[in-house]
């Protein structure tokens, strides 16, 4: 009696589990490898943003005391001694000179001990407006403030506290009426706030409210002036995110076509940015075409650099462009804190990074009558040149790579041909090859003929 062997389901299950485990292991290793990129982004963003913005404090922040008297010089010297490197206090002869330095961003606050006396000496010629590019008229905002409790931006940001500036006021002489603080919020609202924090207690020591005059106010719909920074964010994201698409989905295209796509995309991104800055959110109230031109230079530089880097970095391109144009770029742009409020690393980057070129160039063009604009434009142009050079280097690398691949393919074909030749017997000459079969055929015909004759004769 034969027995039927039942299938061993347990062995099948164990075999299935064993086969599934390697697949799961491979998939898990693949996921963990790709998680490295977002984790590095997290670390980089934390180090960059917290390192740049967590503990802002003034470092040699230039301010001025208006006046040429000995009391003004004593006040400036006393503040310098007490500031311990946080402030760089100088004296300016008159109010008009202080306004000029504010509009050239040589100082970020000017304290007029007695505004009434200054007006009397200047014949009442107090500046009430500034003509900017295109005939635009900027109003000078003035307001009287008491001690407003402006938040300090640093561990020793209140170095000119009531006690400190009280000693400075005593050194300067008797109390004067009508103190005034001149600021330019278009240059940096946070710097203006810090300057106001420093000088408000000094005015209180004089027994008079501090009058704050903004000689370079921002657009009405951008009261803090930080709209330019968020415009920078939009342009940057549109640019570096497009790099991933052009480099990834467009990898099969020739590099010259990818570079053309980068230029075209930068044009679209800059037009979107100009629409945001002008008709949509009214971040600027004049000079929109100049803002658009700087937005195009900025975006084109990012896209060309990213497109070229993709040849070398491949899947690490996203991390690379984020490090360049987000982590280091936003933090050094001066859009939130100017370099005088940051540590030395980000302050140094501000002098040549492309985000700073766009932010400071836009401020100069819109609010400061183009003062210093050429330097910021050259910053953007040099980054565009860097993009062109990066694409050129990528073109050479891809050309060499194609040549190496062609050589490798030719060598592989030669090896394959040699292997085939070694396994297939060599062909005989045509004459010898023809004689063998022909002789065999003649012998067969002769044998058949003999057999037929024998049958015919009965042998």
């Amino acid at each position: 009696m034969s027995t039927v062997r039942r299938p061993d389901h347990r062995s099948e299950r164990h075999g299935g589990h064993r086969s599934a485990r390697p697949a799961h292991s491979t998939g898990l290793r693949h996921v963990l490898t790709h998680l490295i990129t977002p984790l590095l982004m997290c670390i980089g963003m934390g180090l960059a943003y917290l390192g740049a913005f967590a503990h802002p404090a003034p470092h040699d922040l230039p301010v001025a005391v208006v006046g040429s008297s000995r009391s003004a010089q004593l006040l400036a010297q006393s503040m310098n001694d007490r500031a311990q490197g946080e402030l760089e206090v100088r004296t300016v002869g008159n109010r008009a000179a202080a306004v000029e330095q504010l509009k050239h961003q040589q100082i970020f606050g000017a304290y007029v001990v007695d505004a009434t006396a200054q007006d009397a000496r200047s014949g009442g010629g107090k500046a009430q407006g500034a003509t900017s590019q295109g005939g635009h008229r900027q109003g000078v905002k003035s307001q009287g403030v008491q001690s407003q409790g402006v938040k300090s931006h640093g561990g020793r940001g209140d170095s000119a506290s009531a006690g400190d500036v009280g000693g400075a006021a005593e050194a300067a002489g008797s109390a004067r009426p009508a103190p005034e603080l001149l600021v330019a919020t278009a240059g940096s609202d946070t710097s203006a706030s810090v300057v106001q924090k420093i000088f408000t207690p000094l005015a209180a020591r004089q027994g008079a409210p501090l009058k704050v005059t903004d000689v370079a106010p921002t657009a009405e719909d951008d009261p803090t002036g930080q709209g330019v920074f968020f415009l920078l964010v939009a342009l940057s994201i549109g640019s570096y995110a497009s790099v991933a698409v052009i480099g990834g989905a467009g990898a099969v295209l020739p590099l010259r076509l990818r570079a053309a796509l980068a230029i075209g995309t930068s044009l679209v991104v800059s037009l979107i940015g100009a629409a945001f800055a002008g008709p949509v959110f009214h971040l600027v109230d004049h000079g929109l075409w100049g803002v658009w031109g700087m937005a195009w230079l900025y975006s084109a530089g990012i896209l060309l650099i990213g497109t070229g880097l993709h040849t070398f970095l491949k899947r690490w391109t996203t991390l690379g462009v984020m490090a360049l144009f987000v982590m280091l770029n936003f933090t050094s742009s001066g859009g939130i804190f100017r370099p005088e409020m940051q540590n030395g690393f980000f302050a140094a980057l501000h002098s040549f990074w492309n985000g700073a070129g766009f932010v400071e160039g836009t401020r100069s063009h819109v609010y400061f009558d183009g003062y210093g604009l050429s330097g910021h434009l050259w910053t953007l142009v040099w980054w565009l040149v860097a993009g062109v050079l990066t694409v050129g280097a990528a073109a050479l690398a891809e050309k060499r790579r194609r040549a190496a691949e062609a050589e490798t393919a030719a060598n592989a074909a030669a090896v394959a041909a040699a292997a085939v030749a070694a396994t297939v017997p060599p062909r005989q000459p045509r004459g010898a090859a023809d004689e063998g079969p022909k002789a065999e055929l003649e012998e067969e015909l002769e044998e058949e003929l003999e057999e037929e004759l024998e049958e015919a004769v009965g042998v």
Side-chain angles (χ1 to χ4, degrees), residues 254-273:
L255 186 59
R256 63 179 180 277
L257 187 54
R258 279 178 276 156
L261 284 173
I263 295 296
T265 303
S266 67
L267 177 63
V268 175
V269 169
S270 64
L271 289 173
I272 294 173

PDB file of all heavy atoms in Angstrom, residues 254-273:
ATOM      1  N   PRO A 254      21.141  66.670 -23.222  1.00  0.00           N
ATOM      2  CA  PRO A 254      22.517  67.215 -23.264  1.00  0.00           C
ATOM      3  C   PRO A 254      22.637  68.420 -22.341  1.00  0.00           C
ATOM      4  O   PRO A 254      21.661  69.130 -22.069  1.00  0.00           O
ATOM      5  CB  PRO A 254      22.704  67.590 -24.735  1.00  0.00           C
ATOM      6  CG  PRO A 254      21.326  67.707 -25.294  1.00  0.00           C
ATOM      7  CD  PRO A 254      20.482  66.737 -24.537  1.00  0.00           C
ATOM      8  N   LEU A 255      23.841  68.683 -21.873  1.00  0.00           N
ATOM      9  CA  LEU A 255      24.054  69.722 -20.877  1.00  0.00           C
ATOM     10  C   LEU A 255      23.682  71.109 -21.408  1.00  0.00           C
ATOM     11  O   LEU A 255      23.155  71.945 -20.672  1.00  0.00           O
ATOM     12  CB  LEU A 255      25.510  69.713 -20.403  1.00  0.00           C
ATOM     13  CG  LEU A 255      25.841  70.669 -19.258  1.00  0.00           C
ATOM     14  CD1 LEU A 255      24.993  70.359 -18.034  1.00  0.00           C
ATOM     15  CD2 LEU A 255      27.316  70.599 -18.905  1.00  0.00           C
ATOM     16  N   ARG A 256      23.936  71.364 -22.665  1.00  0.00           N
ATOM     17  CA  ARG A 256      23.599  72.691 -23.213  1.00  0.00           C
ATOM     18  C   ARG A 256      22.095  72.940 -23.147  1.00  0.00           C
ATOM     19  O   ARG A 256      21.653  74.070 -22.901  1.00  0.00           O
ATOM     20  CB  ARG A 256      24.108  72.818 -24.636  1.00  0.00           C
ATOM     21  CG  ARG A 256      23.498  71.854 -25.636  1.00  0.00           C
ATOM     22  CD  ARG A 256      24.062  72.083 -27.029  1.00  0.00           C
ATOM     23  NE  ARG A 256      23.485  71.176 -28.016  1.00  0.00           N
ATOM     24  CZ  ARG A 256      23.912  69.939 -28.227  1.00  0.00           C
ATOM     25  NH1 ARG A 256      24.959  69.484 -27.538  1.00  0.00           N
ATOM     26  NH2 ARG A 256      23.341  69.182 -29.136  1.00  0.00           N
ATOM     27  N   LEU A 257      21.291  71.882 -23.342  1.00  0.00           N
ATOM     28  CA  LEU A 257      19.847  72.037 -23.242  1.00  0.00           C
ATOM     29  C   LEU A 257      19.419  72.220 -21.793  1.00  0.00           C
ATOM     30  O   LEU A 257      18.518  73.015 -21.488  1.00  0.00           O
ATOM     31  CB  LEU A 257      19.152  70.820 -23.858  1.00  0.00           C
ATOM     32  CG  LEU A 257      17.622  70.898 -23.978  1.00  0.00           C
ATOM     33  CD1 LEU A 257      17.210  72.159 -24.708  1.00  0.00           C
ATOM     34  CD2 LEU A 257      17.086  69.663 -24.702  1.00  0.00           C
ATOM     35  N   ARG A 258      20.094  71.520 -20.869  1.00  0.00           N
ATOM     36  CA  ARG A 258      19.793  71.714 -19.445  1.00  0.00           C
ATOM     37  C   ARG A 258      20.146  73.137 -19.003  1.00  0.00           C
ATOM     38  O   ARG A 258      19.424  73.755 -18.219  1.00  0.00           O
ATOM     39  CB  ARG A 258      20.569  70.694 -18.613  1.00  0.00           C
ATOM     40  CG  ARG A 258      19.911  69.309 -18.559  1.00  0.00           C
ATOM     41  CD  ARG A 258      20.762  68.354 -17.758  1.00  0.00           C
ATOM     42  NE  ARG A 258      21.810  67.765 -18.562  1.00  0.00           N
ATOM     43  CZ  ARG A 258      22.942  67.278 -18.106  1.00  0.00           C
ATOM     44  NH1 ARG A 258      23.216  67.346 -16.809  1.00  0.00           N
ATOM     45  NH2 ARG A 258      23.827  66.741 -18.897  1.00  0.00           N
ATOM     46  N   ALA A 259      21.263  73.659 -19.497  1.00  0.00           N
ATOM     47  CA  ALA A 259      21.650  75.031 -19.160  1.00  0.00           C
ATOM     48  C   ALA A 259      20.631  76.028 -19.706  1.00  0.00           C
ATOM     49  O   ALA A 259      20.285  77.013 -19.041  1.00  0.00           O
ATOM     50  CB  ALA A 259      23.038  75.336 -19.706  1.00  0.00           C
ATOM     51  N   ALA A 260      20.121  75.782 -20.925  1.00  0.00           N
ATOM     52  CA  ALA A 260      19.090  76.660 -21.485  1.00  0.00           C
ATOM     53  C   ALA A 260      17.815  76.606 -20.647  1.00  0.00           C
ATOM     54  O   ALA A 260      17.158  77.634 -20.422  1.00  0.00           O
ATOM     55  CB  ALA A 260      18.795  76.263 -22.930  1.00  0.00           C
ATOM     56  N   LEU A 261      17.454  75.420 -20.177  1.00  0.00           N
ATOM     57  CA  LEU A 261      16.295  75.288 -19.299  1.00  0.00           C
ATOM     58  C   LEU A 261      16.510  76.064 -17.995  1.00  0.00           C
ATOM     59  O   LEU A 261      15.579  76.676 -17.462  1.00  0.00           O
ATOM     60  CB  LEU A 261      16.025  73.815 -18.989  1.00  0.00           C
ATOM     61  CG  LEU A 261      15.358  72.991 -20.090  1.00  0.00           C
ATOM     62  CD1 LEU A 261      15.327  71.525 -19.688  1.00  0.00           C
ATOM     63  CD2 LEU A 261      13.945  73.500 -20.358  1.00  0.00           C
ATOM     64  N   ALA A 262      17.738  76.035 -17.475  1.00  0.00           N
ATOM     65  CA  ALA A 262      18.039  76.769 -16.243  1.00  0.00           C
ATOM     66  C   ALA A 262      17.857  78.272 -16.448  1.00  0.00           C
ATOM     67  O   ALA A 262      17.265  78.956 -15.605  1.00  0.00           O
ATOM     68  CB  ALA A 262      19.466  76.459 -15.791  1.00  0.00           C
ATOM     69  N   ILE A 263      18.338  78.798 -17.565  1.00  0.00           N
ATOM     70  CA  ILE A 263      18.189  80.226 -17.847  1.00  0.00           C
ATOM     71  C   ILE A 263      16.714  80.586 -17.993  1.00  0.00           C
ATOM     72  O   ILE A 263      16.230  81.599 -17.451  1.00  0.00           O
ATOM     73  CB  ILE A 263      18.968  80.617 -19.118  1.00  0.00           C
ATOM     74  CG1 ILE A 263      20.480  80.427 -18.902  1.00  0.00           C
ATOM     75  CG2 ILE A 263      18.673  82.054 -19.508  1.00  0.00           C
ATOM     76  CD1 ILE A 263      21.062  81.326 -17.855  1.00  0.00           C
ATOM     77  N   GLY A 264      15.974  79.757 -18.731  1.00  0.00           N
ATOM     78  CA  GLY A 264      14.550  80.027 -18.904  1.00  0.00           C
ATOM     79  C   GLY A 264      13.777  79.957 -17.592  1.00  0.00           C
ATOM     80  O   GLY A 264      12.899  80.794 -17.331  1.00  0.00           O
ATOM     81  N   THR A 265      14.116  78.987 -16.754  1.00  0.00           N
ATOM     82  CA  THR A 265      13.442  78.864 -15.465  1.00  0.00           C
ATOM     83  C   THR A 265      13.747  80.063 -14.574  1.00  0.00           C
ATOM     84  O   THR A 265      12.869  80.570 -13.863  1.00  0.00           O
ATOM     85  CB  THR A 265      13.878  77.574 -14.763  1.00  0.00           C
ATOM     86  OG1 THR A 265      13.610  76.448 -15.614  1.00  0.00           O
ATOM     87  CG2 THR A 265      13.128  77.385 -13.450  1.00  0.00           C
ATOM     88  N   SER A 266      14.986  80.542 -14.613  1.00  0.00           N
ATOM     89  CA  SER A 266      15.337  81.711 -13.796  1.00  0.00           C
ATOM     90  C   SER A 266      14.541  82.937 -14.228  1.00  0.00           C
ATOM     91  O   SER A 266      14.169  83.772 -13.389  1.00  0.00           O
ATOM     92  CB  SER A 266      16.840  81.987 -13.895  1.00  0.00           C
ATOM     93  OG  SER A 266      17.196  82.413 -15.205  1.00  0.00           O
ATOM     94  N   LEU A 267      14.255  83.055 -15.504  1.00  0.00           N
ATOM     95  CA  LEU A 267      13.440  84.169 -15.981  1.00  0.00           C
ATOM     96  C   LEU A 267      12.030  84.092 -15.403  1.00  0.00           C
ATOM     97  O   LEU A 267      11.473  85.103 -14.929  1.00  0.00           O
ATOM     98  CB  LEU A 267      13.395  84.158 -17.510  1.00  0.00           C
ATOM     99  CG  LEU A 267      12.508  85.225 -18.173  1.00  0.00           C
ATOM    100  CD1 LEU A 267      13.026  86.617 -17.840  1.00  0.00           C
ATOM    101  CD2 LEU A 267      12.463  85.017 -19.683  1.00  0.00           C
ATOM    102  N   VAL A 268      11.463  82.882 -15.406  1.00  0.00           N
ATOM    103  CA  VAL A 268      10.110  82.708 -14.854  1.00  0.00           C
ATOM    104  C   VAL A 268      10.106  82.991 -13.355  1.00  0.00           C
ATOM    105  O   VAL A 268       9.219  83.683 -12.836  1.00  0.00           O
ATOM    106  CB  VAL A 268       9.594  81.289 -15.147  1.00  0.00           C
ATOM    107  CG1 VAL A 268       8.239  81.054 -14.486  1.00  0.00           C
ATOM    108  CG2 VAL A 268       9.488  81.053 -16.643  1.00  0.00           C
ATOM    109  N   VAL A 269      11.098  82.455 -12.634  1.00  0.00           N
ATOM    110  CA  VAL A 269      11.174  82.668 -11.181  1.00  0.00           C
ATOM    111  C   VAL A 269      11.303  84.159 -10.867  1.00  0.00           C
ATOM    112  O   VAL A 269      10.644  84.678  -9.948  1.00  0.00           O
ATOM    113  CB  VAL A 269      12.360  81.881 -10.587  1.00  0.00           C
ATOM    114  CG1 VAL A 269      12.616  82.297  -9.134  1.00  0.00           C
ATOM    115  CG2 VAL A 269      12.082  80.385 -10.656  1.00  0.00           C
ATOM    116  N   SER A 270      12.134  84.880 -11.624  1.00  0.00           N
ATOM    117  CA  SER A 270      12.319  86.314 -11.354  1.00  0.00           C
ATOM    118  C   SER A 270      11.050  87.103 -11.639  1.00  0.00           C
ATOM    119  O   SER A 270      10.737  88.068 -10.927  1.00  0.00           O
ATOM    120  CB  SER A 270      13.486  86.850 -12.184  1.00  0.00           C
ATOM    121  OG  SER A 270      13.207  86.771 -13.575  1.00  0.00           O
ATOM    122  N   LEU A 271      10.296  86.722 -12.662  1.00  0.00           N
ATOM    123  CA  LEU A 271       9.030  87.403 -12.951  1.00  0.00           C
ATOM    124  C   LEU A 271       8.013  87.168 -11.832  1.00  0.00           C
ATOM    125  O   LEU A 271       7.268  88.083 -11.452  1.00  0.00           O
ATOM    126  CB  LEU A 271       8.477  86.929 -14.291  1.00  0.00           C
ATOM    127  CG  LEU A 271       9.233  87.407 -15.534  1.00  0.00           C
ATOM    128  CD1 LEU A 271       8.694  86.739 -16.788  1.00  0.00           C
ATOM    129  CD2 LEU A 271       9.143  88.919 -15.671  1.00  0.00           C
ATOM    130  N   ILE A 272       7.990  85.948 -11.308  1.00  0.00           N
ATOM    131  CA  ILE A 272       7.113  85.667 -10.162  1.00  0.00           C
ATOM    132  C   ILE A 272       7.520  86.526  -8.969  1.00  0.00           C
ATOM    133  O   ILE A 272       6.678  87.105  -8.269  1.00  0.00           O
ATOM    134  CB  ILE A 272       7.161  84.174  -9.811  1.00  0.00           C
ATOM    135  CG1 ILE A 272       6.550  83.339 -10.939  1.00  0.00           C
ATOM    136  CG2 ILE A 272       6.419  83.898  -8.497  1.00  0.00           C
ATOM    137  CD1 ILE A 272       6.709  81.841 -10.755  1.00  0.00           C
ATOM    138  N   GLY A 273       8.832  86.611  -8.710  1.00  0.00           N
ATOM    139  CA  GLY A 273       9.313  87.436  -7.606  1.00  0.00           C
ATOM    140  C   GLY A 273       8.960  88.900  -7.783  1.00  0.00           C
ATOM    141  O   GLY A 273       8.555  89.580  -6.827  1.00  0.00           O
TER     142      GLY A 273
END
